[in-house]
Amino acid sequence: MVRGLSAVCGIIGVAVERGALPEKLGDVLYGCLKRLEYRGYDSVGIAFIDDLGRLVVRKSVGKIDEVREKIGFSEIDGVVGLGHTRWATHGRPSDENAHPHTDCSGTIAVVHNGIIENFSELRKWLENLGHRFRSETDTEVIPHLIEEFIRRGMSIYSAFKRAVSLLRGTYAIAAIYAGGRRILFARNTSPLVIGLGKGYNFIASDIPAFLRYTNRVVVVHDGELGYVTSSSVRLEAADGKVVSVETRARVVEWSPEAVEKGGYRHFMEKEILEQPQALAQTIAGLGEEVRRAAELIARAERVIFVAAGSSYHASIIGALALTRLAKVPSVPLVSSEARWWLGRWLSDRDVVIAVSQSGETIDTLIAVRIAKDLGAKVVALSNVLGSAIPRESHLAIYTRAGPEIGVAATKTFTTQVAALSYLAATVAKLRGEASRSEYEAVVEDLRRCPISASLAIESGRSLVSKALDVFVRSRSAFYLGRGFGLGVAKEGALKMKEVAYVHAEAYPAGESKHGPIALVEPGFPTLFCACSSEELEMVASNVEEMKSRGAVTILVAPRKLAERVRSADHVIEVPKHLSPAVQAIPLVIPLQMLAYETAVARGYDPDKPRNLAKTVTVI
Ligand code: BG6
């Protein structure tokens, strides 16, 4: 029996006056959950208070559209409700493990994202008091704790606060109760935001859930809790002090249509094709925050990047740019491995750069905390204002890619590379490693990014037309590169794995002869990336060695340079850039498109790849 079922989830709550929203409560919850679905989608559940004040809970395994009828969203009306989509991290999804979870009396419902680390002892204590549990989740201890303290004479809100005070671990919680019109909430580490409306208020895991109704947002900080009604919000800090919601409210520029697919087949396609705009917005926004970070880094003895997934690949490119351009020894670490590497030597002379588009990846957040405990200064690079990692860092730089709904990172990767390229050039100038004119050259190079990204989309269509069939038929592939090209190869391979489920492996091209080449047989797709003439010259021999073994060889390289390697079966040219770090941006776009089209051709949904979630807030 799997105990401690935890999950990465999407939670939503809404308190609304009748008629204040255009749809009924059930349709509002359905729409919000649809926009949270990328956070996880093994099972779905809702809870609401009916006209007689009774608590009603409906939940089921399955994706939201599979269970829409069973849950009966469209017939649900009312003034307060919760919703939850779950992505199980341990153990199979099941009806009884789906959220919301209730207390013995069935009058309190709770949804939760995170892990309650001390749930076993809490559960034993509650069972000894007579509480009966129906699921194996850690979450279910929360409604029973609230119930226990109500039994002891506390008000519902005091009981809720008392219950939360006993929890250890990570949580974003929302709770409703029979006869009540409030949604109680609490946050520690897992993301939670409030949407402020007229005649209604939302509580959710993140902003896209309710963005079509309101763009006035309050980010709930760790340790904070409170409740929302249709007309008021109470927010308390961990020490009980009331926080002014007005001072914390922010208007989010993301327009609702920005979150919708906008006519594209999938969010991933939309986000690949809007990279020129995302790059333009990001580059235009790089200013003071980069200069402040550069001053810190220019004085550093060493720089360590900590990141996961695509952010780790952007970090490889960023670390190489800082090392080569600014001569600052820099290394990229996978966040979940950081604890093994940082503990023994990191000091206050070092700077850690935490790259995380969501700003919520728990592995990266933990690495940030380790780095700070060891005295290092931490600079965050994120795409989400107010998210946990920037808040816990000393300085923050933001990309302005807009909401990325597709699970596989695309525009957040290229905008991260743009920001890190600019950061490296700024540090190089401060350290006297780059003259003013060299610095200006990189800045000019960056300014050309949006245009070259548009042209790279055409290169992507050419790559798809030449290579799609090979990849649709293949189970494996190699993505090979050197230097900056290796970071691109790793990102391209990850895309192909994430959405098309092709076992694409990225290697340093020079490593092929130390093993991987044994896998190559006739028809085996091998894709080569090169960001500069120096890299290309060295990759040329690898193209030969693979081709001589019957592999299908595909080279993606800057225009003009690519002509030097005519032996590849397919040569895809992208606009040429001066800086190899900046060159990575147009170079990766055809690889993103190849992975996307391979997934679609294979009949998969690139927005919801199996077993993956957009933000992993569980270790
Ligand atoms: C994974 C996502 O869960 O987390 C990837 O599927 C992402 O797309 C990785 O690159 C890291 O996420 P973040 O938000 O820390 O950049």
Side-chain angles (χ1 to χ4, degrees), residues 102-105 126-127 130-134 140 144 151:
T102 57
D103 63 319
C104 305
S105 67
L126 289 161
E127 284 173 331
H131 290 266
R132 291 181 323 283
F133 284 74
R134 301 181 191 86
E140 195 185 349
H144 291 286
R151 276 184 190 166

Side-chain angles (χ1 to χ4, degrees), residues 8-51:
V8 173
C9 319
I11 67 177
I12 179 73
V14 56
V16 54
E17 279 153 23
R18 278 204 193 285
L21 282 172
E23 298 110 348
K24 290 196 307 191
L25 180 68
D27 293 328
V28 172
L29 288 173
Y30 171 77
C32 295
L33 287 172
K34 278 298 283 177
R35 275 169 208 80
L36 285 172
E37 207 176 11
Y38 68 88
R39 292 182 61 83
Y41 34 78
D42 294 325
S43 50
V44 181
I46 54 120
F48 64 98
I49 308 299
D50 71 10
D51 292 345

Side-chain angles (χ1 to χ4, degrees), residues 27 37 41 144 148 220 310 339 435 464 477 496 524 535 570 585 611:
D27 293 328
E37 207 176 11
Y41 34 78
H144 291 286
E148 180 56 31
V220 180
S310 299
R339 68 179 67 213
S435 65
V464 168
M496 190 56 84
F524 191 100
E535 290 178 12
H570 306 297
I585 294 169
N611 308 330

Side-chain angles (χ1 to χ4, degrees), residues 3 104 116 118-133 140-154 159-167:
R3 297 180 73 82
C104 305
I116 308 298
N118 62 333
F119 93 99
S120 299
E121 62 211 67
L122 291 171
R123 179 170 171 140
K124 271 200 207 72
W125 179 65
L126 289 161
E127 284 173 331
N128 291 339
L129 290 167
H131 290 266
R132 291 181 323 283
F133 284 74
E140 195 185 349
V141 298
I142 302 172
H144 291 286
L145 279 172
I146 299 169
E147 178 185 33
E148 180 56 31
F149 292 119
I150 290 173
R151 276 184 190 166
R152 299 182 180 195
M154 288 189 187
F160 176 75
K161 288 200 279 188
R162 184 86 181 83
V164 169
S165 71
L166 298 179
L167 303 179

Side-chain angles (χ1 to χ4, degrees), residues 541-591:
S541 61
N542 301 116
V543 174
E544 296 301 331
E545 70 188 357
M546 290 297 182
K547 193 166 169 57
S548 63
R549 286 162 177 77
V552 174
T553 52
I554 302 154
L555 169 70
V556 185
R559 189 158 297 130
K560 297 267 186 298
L561 298 182
E563 288 159 5
R564 301 180 195 167
V565 186
R566 277 288 160 220
S567 58
D569 296 309
H570 306 297
V571 177
I572 305 297
E573 297 185 330
V574 296
K576 189 174 178 315
H577 277 265
L578 171 85
S579 146
V582 176
Q583 183 67 67
I585 294 169
L587 207 79
V588 76
I589 291 174
L591 278 52

Side-chain angles (χ1 to χ4, degrees), residues 371-452:
K372 285 169 68 180
D373 287 349
L374 293 164
K377 286 285 183 285
V378 180
V379 175
L381 173 61
S382 180
N383 191 46
V384 181
L385 281 170
S387 53
I389 291 166
R391 271 213 323 284
E392 296 204 18
S393 301
H394 296 97
L395 286 174
I397 298 171
Y398 287 99
T399 51
R400 288 163 175 80
E404 186 173 71
I405 307 299
V407 168
T410 48
K411 62 179 182 173
T412 55
F413 172 78
T414 48
T415 52
Q416 285 171 348
V417 173
L420 293 173
S421 303
Y422 179 58
L423 176 64
T426 309
V427 174
K429 183 170 61 114
L430 283 176
R431 287 169 59 95
E433 296 293 347
S435 65
R436 180 148 196 84
S437 58
E438 284 165 330
Y439 165 78
E440 287 299 347
V442 175
V443 172
E444 186 44 39
D445 210 24
L446 259 179
R447 284 208 187 98
R448 287 177 37 236
C449 252
I451 303 287
S452 66

